[in-house]
Amino acid sequence: MGTILVPPIKSQGIKTKLVNWINETTNSEPYSAWVEPFCGTGVVAFNVAKDQATLADSNPHLIRFYRAIAEGEITAALAREFLELEGKKLLQLGESHYYAIRDRFNETGAPLDFLFLNRAGFNGMIRFNKKGKFNIPFCRKPQRFAPAYVTKIVNQIDSVARLLKLKNFSFVHQDFLKTIQQAAPTDMIYCDPPYIDRHADYFNGWDESKEIALFDALSQRPGKFILSTWHHNDYRSNDYIKRVWNRFEILTSEHQYFVGANESNRNPIVEALVTNIDVSSLARKYTKRDLAPVQYALCEPAASFG
Ligand SMILES: C[S@@+](CC[C@H](N)C(=O)[O-])C[C@H]1O[C@@H](n2cnc3c(N)ncnc32)[C@H](O)[C@@H]1O
């Protein structure tokens, strides 16, 4: 696989480092469209999907942002103008400007404000309070939008805009069950739900009933799917692998990264892919877990997630 297209939006659950693995797992499978019920930043579809894809998410701001790029409402030039202007104000006024944009975004939902907050907020996190208001604090770097950083973001927007001109991608704001129901049997579904037992916020409320509804929807469907989830960390394992997902193939990678700012979430995680694709040829490279008991003490020193 060539260079990875890095999207202009960041998030704590971004799967940039799983793109190659997901690509290897799916690229010999024929499918008509790529379907992502939990698309997040879009990094997986942008790099793996062939010609046609549906990217859906319950967070309307992600969908609005990518639709704005697809429809030419956000262009690289407009994004540059906006980030240079607001970046200059941030430098002059400091954090009060970040919070002014945050208030404005929470009133209007403007997609460029979302980009600004995502790239100037703490750790590039996306989190909303109970009322659906974005509540990430400032990263405390008034010089955040230095020319090189603006250029980097603008280039990322340009790459996505070019890709969307070449391919037939649609962005949909809806619940995962609807996306799965609408998929054709010949579509490939990649699911990356909020990790059960780990994080929760307004757009990421995830509990056992949703995990089971997802399992039922994927199990009843005749088509192929891959699900990302966590397997274990130094302290505990994901109970749902054995309790819910064990009738499918389970691959794990020793891919590890830091999630979030909270100390309790900083443990390296071993990622899992759960799938109904025949992965026998991959099992040599990625540990095939099947029903085996969870192995501990596999963790090497964690690498920072970049
Ligand atoms: C782990 S993130 C996906 C990250 C994505 N794969 C990436 O690499 O950027 C989970 C996503 O699920 C979305 N989500 C949470 N609950 C949902 C639901 N009920 N239906 C659809 N999307 C949901 C969240 O808004 C979030 O964007």
Side-chain angles (χ1 to χ4, degrees), residues 283-298:
R284 264 170 306 215
K285 180 163 177 190
Y286 299 103
T287 319
K288 191 173 173 192
R289 299 273 178 181
D290 290 330
L291 297 173
V294 172
Q295 300 288 311
Y296 292 93
L298 281 168

Side-chain angles (χ1 to χ4, degrees), residues 173-186:
H173 171 225
Q174 67 188 16
D175 187 69
F176 69 98
L177 283 177
K178 194 161 179 200
T179 310
I180 296 172
Q181 277 156 14
Q182 288 172 346
T186 49

Side-chain angles (χ1 to χ4, degrees), residues 78-94:
L78 285 172
R80 177 179 291 285
E81 199 182 312
F82 175 86
L83 293 176
E84 284 176 354
L85 179 75
E86 299 298 351
K88 211 162 154 190
K89 289 190 202 159
L90 186 68
L91 191 59
Q92 283 160 2
L93 304 170

Side-chain angles (χ1 to χ4, degrees), residues 7 9-16 19 22 36-44 56-60 62 126 128 174-177 179 190-195 201-206 210 228:
I9 297 291
K10 306 281 149 212
S11 93
Q12 54 274 35
I14 192 167
K15 294 298 184 300
T16 317
V19 160
I22 295 166
E36 270 193 51
F38 310 87
C39 70
T41 66
V43 70
V44 177
D57 203 284
S58 63
N59 179 342
L62 293 164
I126 298 179
F128 295 82
Q174 67 188 16
D175 187 69
F176 69 98
L177 283 177
T179 310
Y190 169 60
C191 283
D192 185 17
Y195 282 4
D201 77 65
Y202 186 74
F203 290 116
N204 280 292
W206 198 256
K210 290 190 179 176
S228 274

Side-chain angles (χ1 to χ4, degrees), residues 72-90 97 101 104 112-113 115-116 145-147 149-155 157-158:
E73 184 197 322
I74 292 180
T75 61
L78 285 172
R80 177 179 291 285
E81 199 182 312
F82 175 86
L83 293 176
E84 284 176 354
L85 179 75
E86 299 298 351
K88 211 162 154 190
K89 289 190 202 159
L90 186 68
H97 190 60
I101 301 258
R104 183 170 82 186
L112 281 174
D113 284 345
L115 176 69
F116 175 96
F145 294 103
Y149 193 59
V150 170
T151 296
K152 185 173 171 181
I153 299 169
V154 166
N155 288 342
I157 290 178
D158 194 45

